[in-house]
Amino acid sequence: MAKIAILTGGGDCPGLNPVIRAVVRKAINEGYEVVGIKNGWKGLIENDFMPLDLASISGILPKGGTILGTSRTNPYKKESDLENLKENYKKLNLEALIAVGGEDTLGVASRLIKDGITNIVGIPKTIDNDLSCTDYTFGFDTAINIATECIDRLHTTAESHHRVIVVEVMGRHAGWIAVEAGIAGGADFILIPELPIDIDEVCNSIINRHKRGKTFSIIVVAEGAQFKEGSLITQEEKLDEFGHVRLGGIGERLAQEIEKRTGYETRVSVLGHIQRGGTPTAFDRILGTRFGVRAVELVLEKKFGRMVALSGNKIIDVPLENAVAALKTIDMELYAVAKVFFG
Ligand code: F6P
């Protein structure tokens, strides 16, 4: 029986289990055997996998996270890891590998294709929504709904105490979560990695708002935003295997500056991994399901080296290497909409 494998790599996000379920159901319908590689590329290096049958995917549709586990393992960091990966891949004797991930996991997939492991299909995942060639990645909708609810909750306490509250959301390279949750939650200023923070502009805007009678403000900042003159604020300097630092702390720095310059009492709330956990929204379940089914169809059609993607409301496929060539940063027309409500 021909065999398909699936792996999930990088930061987890709601919608991964609906993808796994869809891949397994569609593949079994088409007569394939399916194996799940555990913990992203790490599982292929260590030959760690599990059979995926109908029983193993039963009941996982509403569950967050991934039943396969994940890691930020980069097989290109160590030559012996790459060799083990290639050897184990060969032993598995696969018709195709479906890799579910963001810029790092799919970046590895794209390199492997160039290195001769050609029968790979990609599925785009990230709460950050920063992958190119797709209008949306699954996980993002859940993240912005969680962040919006948090902003709503922070509004009531900010208003009661007449405070400024800075809300730090995820978004390493792109401000999609900050902008969309900020628009939905009625943020009074939104700061994103794509635009340097002009602290005078932020404080003047808050002061003007208070002059017109408001006694509280909500400022949303993406973790990757930077002061004009500053650099990224990190929790530790250590780089992960893909060269990323662990971000976090810009909210606190911003809150200190705002309180110092405006005199308004300011608090900070860091949403962190809450944005990545829990049950996926209906949108993410449906998108993940559509991506999973289409990925198996691409295997049937022998269209390898492709990534499934959303264009408008249609599922399309694009060259994997195009999707990882550059990140999708914020649409400035959308940011202009958010700006209408600043101050
Ligand atoms: O890549 C998605 C993401 O959620 C980023 O927004 C964030 O910087 C990062 O993952 C956090 O990663 P970790 O879970 O490894 O701390």
Side-chain angles (χ1 to χ4, degrees):
M1 196 189 276
K3 210 191 298 169
I4 294 180
I6 175 169
L7 64 79
T8 55
D12 74 330
C13 81
L16 284 165
N17 283 327
V19 170
I20 296 167
R21 170 178 173 267
V23 165
V24 173
R25 288 293 295 263
K26 176 70 178 168
I28 289 177
N29 285 354
E30 299 297 338
Y32 288 110
E33 178 189 342
V34 191
V35 294
I37 310 284
K38 292 203 199 157
N39 305 317
W41 297 116
K42 190 166 186 271
L44 260 186
I45 294 167
E46 297 175 355
N47 206 25
D48 190 7
F49 59 88
M50 62 198 250
L52 288 173
D53 56 12
L54 293 180
S56 51
I57 51 142
S58 173
I60 68 171
L61 178 64
K63 286 195 183 147
T66 160
I67 59 163
L68 294 176
T70 186
S71 71
R72 294 194 185 276
T73 304
N74 181 357
Y76 281 93
K77 276 303 270 188
K78 232 165 100 191
E79 211 166 296
S80 59
D81 281 353
L82 189 61
E83 274 164 25
N84 288 339
L85 181 148
K86 287 184 176 169
E87 207 180 295
N88 292 330
Y89 188 81
K90 221 162 152 194
K91 274 199 285 195
L92 273 169
N93 194 21
L94 299 174
E95 172 95 4
L97 169 67
I98 296 179
V100 191
E103 48 157 338
D104 297 329
T105 304
L106 296 184
V108 167
S110 184
R111 279 182 81 171
L112 287 172
I113 290 167
K114 289 190 184 118
D115 282 352
I117 298 185
T118 51
N119 49 346
I120 300 180
V121 169
I123 299 185
K125 157 256 53 157
T126 166
I127 63 161
D128 288 3
N129 198 37
D130 59 359
L131 261 177
S132 289
C133 304
T134 184
D135 289 349
Y136 284 103
T137 50
F138 65 86
F140 173 68
D141 185 67
T142 307
I144 59 167
N145 275 286
I146 294 168
T148 301
E149 194 201 328
C150 291
I151 294 171
D152 287 347
R153 289 177 186 277
L154 291 167
H155 251 116
T156 62
T157 173
E159 191 165 6
S160 305
H161 283 268
H162 316 291
R163 284 172 173 158
V164 176
I165 295 192
V166 174
V167 191
E168 182 181 308
V169 297
M170 279 188 171
R172 186 189 288 279
H173 310 288
W176 290 102
I177 297 177
V179 171
E180 295 214 4
I183 292 173
D188 303 306
F189 215 105
I190 301 171
L191 298 154
I192 54 175
E194 291 87 339
L195 297 170
I197 301 174
D198 181 337
I199 191 67
D200 293 326
E201 191 191 356
V202 176
C203 291
N204 289 339
S205 171
I206 296 171
I207 290 166
N208 286 340
R209 177 177 154 79
H210 287 223
K211 274 189 188 149
R212 71 176 170 88
K214 293 290 181 187
T215 61
F216 71 96
S217 293
I218 298 287
I219 313 300
V220 176
V221 60
E223 60 180 357
Q226 300 179 45
F227 286 108
K228 249 196 319 204
E229 50 291 320
S231 54
L232 275 178
I233 308 211
T234 62
Q235 290 187 50
E236 57 177 17
E237 287 306 311
K238 215 177 89 203
L239 301 181
D240 72 11
E241 292 192 7
F242 288 93
H244 304 306
V245 287
R246 191 141 68 87
L247 295 175
I250 183 66
E252 185 59 48
R253 290 280 291 277
L254 192 62
Q256 285 165 7
E257 280 300 315
I258 291 172
E259 187 167 285
K260 194 169 84 190
R261 288 165 185 252
T262 63
Y264 303 138
E265 191 179 27
T266 306
R267 293 284 193 270
V268 60
S269 192
V270 181
L271 303 191
H273 291 83
I274 284 174
Q275 296 159 95
R276 264 189 10 212
T279 189
T281 57
F283 181 90
D284 281 337
R285 295 182 200 193
I286 295 164
L287 184 60
T289 300
R290 294 176 77 194
F291 277 169
V293 168
R294 183 69 192 127
V296 175
E297 285 171 359
L298 289 180
V299 174
L300 283 164
E301 293 162 18
K302 300 207 181 309
K303 281 178 86 177
F304 299 126
R306 312 286 295 176
M307 182 187 85
V308 295
L310 184 70
S311 172
N313 196 30
K314 289 267 168 255
I315 304 293
I316 58 164
D317 58 274
V318 297
L320 191 50
E321 63 177 336
N322 292 2
V324 296
L327 284 166
K328 183 183 70 184
T329 51
I330 205 79
D331 173 354
M332 285 302 158
E333 279 180 27
L334 186 65
Y335 191 71
V337 171
K339 274 175 87 171
V340 171
F341 304 91
F342 288 1

